[in-house]
Amino acid sequence: MTKEELKNIIMPRHIGIIMDGNGRWAKQRGLKRSEGHKAGANTFRTICDYAAELGIESLTFYAFSTENWKRPADEVAAIMNLFRDYLFEAQEREAENEAKGMRLRYIGDRTALPEDIINLVDTLEARSSDKCRITVNLAVNYGGRDEILHAVKAIAKKVEAGELKADDISLKDIDGNLYTAGQPDPDLIIRPSGEYRLSNFLIWQAAYSEFWFSDILWPDFTTDDLDKAIIDFSKRNRRFGGV
Ligand code: IPE
Ligand code: IPE
Ligand code: MG
């Protein structure tokens, strides 16, 4: 998208992307599924940098769901290795990311991840500046239902401790206890790969999101596709229940 085109467009503040179709992409080429994930990780790098250039305030990339542990152990290990590689790379690129005004955040249940990954995530988040223009959320071992359960438990503990009355629990309490606390809800959710479902992605936050589906498999997804999704989004009439 040119700068001129961008000016006339209503940009989404927060875009969520379900990075799906890596396995089918590999199969089409007679490759192992892990090769598809590797290609998908490279697409993630390209799209993440491009969206940051466009000035999208929040980006959430769904990389591994709480249900994806059902997959063969070698596939899970390959995905974790790619995540680990990316975290090391992000550590090396910290100054560069900071200069770009970009910070990384993790969303999901980190306790089930390999210990070295937990440590990498923790240090990266601790060092990532709060004064950033762009937040990139990496959703790994993320599930919307798990996130809501986690929030409910945190709220229940406050009630148990006598800090909050059950009748006073508000939508703000729920929002504030989600992994995405403090961030805007996704305006636009993109799902490639020809599937038309959320697969447990941001189910609370997606109440009024606009959806953009495409048959493209994630490793083939380009910056032009992101432009198309944003342009389509800018033509939607969002009413939020109003007239
Ligand atoms: C998305 O690609 C990556 C993860 C879910 C980890 P898939 O691996 O689901 O690819 P398909 O859907 O089998 O093509
Ligand atoms: C959703 O893809 C999860 C991620 C892309 C991380 P899946 O491939 O796991 O979703 P289903 O099983 O087709 O619904
Ligand atoms: Mg899939």
Side-chain angles (χ1 to χ4, degrees):
M1 225 178 320
T2 64
K3 287 227 160 67
E4 205 46 45
E5 283 168 320
L6 259 175
K7 257 197 250 163
N8 305 314
I9 268 182
I10 302 164
M11 295 291 271
R13 280 181 76 193
H14 181 180
I15 302 181
I17 304 183
I18 301 172
M19 304 192 285
D20 197 17
N22 296 347
R24 279 163 282 174
W25 182 91
K27 197 174 175 195
Q28 276 180 356
R29 287 161 180 75
L31 300 168
K32 288 195 293 185
R33 291 180 60 86
S34 58
E35 290 297 321
H37 296 309
K38 202 168 149 189
N42 287 332
T43 301
F44 156 72
R45 287 176 172 86
T46 308
I47 297 299
C48 184
D49 287 348
Y50 181 66
E53 254 175 59
L54 291 181
I56 307 293
E57 203 177 304
S58 284
L59 293 155
T60 303
F61 290 91
Y62 200 13
F64 190 84
S65 75
T66 46
E67 288 73 38
N68 287 146
W69 297 104
K70 291 177 196 159
R71 297 186 178 205
D74 62 333
E75 181 173 346
V76 171
I79 295 168
M80 290 301 155
N81 280 337
L82 289 166
F83 185 38
R84 185 180 282 113
D85 288 350
Y86 181 74
L87 291 170
F88 275 124
E89 193 182 301
Q91 245 181 0
E92 276 167 23
R93 279 177 50 175
E94 213 176 339
E96 201 184 311
N97 283 348
E98 184 128 9
K100 278 188 199 159
M102 191 167 117
R103 72 168 169 192
L104 283 173
R105 282 275 173 269
Y106 168 84
I107 64 165
D109 176 8
R110 68 188 73 191
T111 60
L113 299 176
E115 207 176 319
D116 67 311
I117 293 191
I118 301 178
N119 292 336
L120 277 168
V121 165
D122 287 347
T123 30
L124 204 86
E125 279 192 326
R127 292 212 299 237
S128 206
S129 161
D130 272 345
K131 292 186 208 76
C132 287
R133 289 180 295 118
I134 300 147
T135 301
V136 177
N137 296 307
L138 303 167
V140 179
N141 192 28
Y142 171 87
R145 288 181 173 177
D146 173 70
E147 180 180 38
I148 294 168
L149 178 66
H150 177 264
V152 167
K153 283 184 185 170
I155 295 166
K157 278 183 189 152
K158 279 197 177 170
V159 175
E160 242 174 24
E163 290 165 23
L164 182 66
K165 282 193 183 141
D167 277 341
D168 292 340
I169 298 171
S170 67
L171 292 173
K172 268 195 183 149
D173 289 311
I174 300 177
D175 272 326
N177 281 290
L178 297 176
Y179 299 131
T180 52
Q183 298 193 44
D185 284 340
D187 300 296
L188 171 63
I189 292 183
I190 296 175
R191 182 162 193 162
S193 92
E195 310 296 351
Y196 301 88
R197 53 178 174 262
L198 276 176
S199 302
N200 210 3
F201 184 53
L202 301 178
I203 54 173
W204 173 276
Q205 299 89 333
Y208 275 101
S209 301
E210 296 293 329
F211 293 91
W212 196 82
F213 296 104
S214 147
D215 287 340
I216 303 156
L217 302 174
W218 175 249
D220 290 329
F221 195 92
T222 64
T223 56
D224 281 348
D225 296 317
L226 186 66
D227 283 351
K228 275 186 218 155
I230 293 173
I231 291 165
D232 280 355
F233 167 84
S234 75
K235 293 174 187 157
R236 305 270 176 96
N237 180 8
R238 303 181 81 191
R239 285 184 291 273
F240 299 98
V243 282

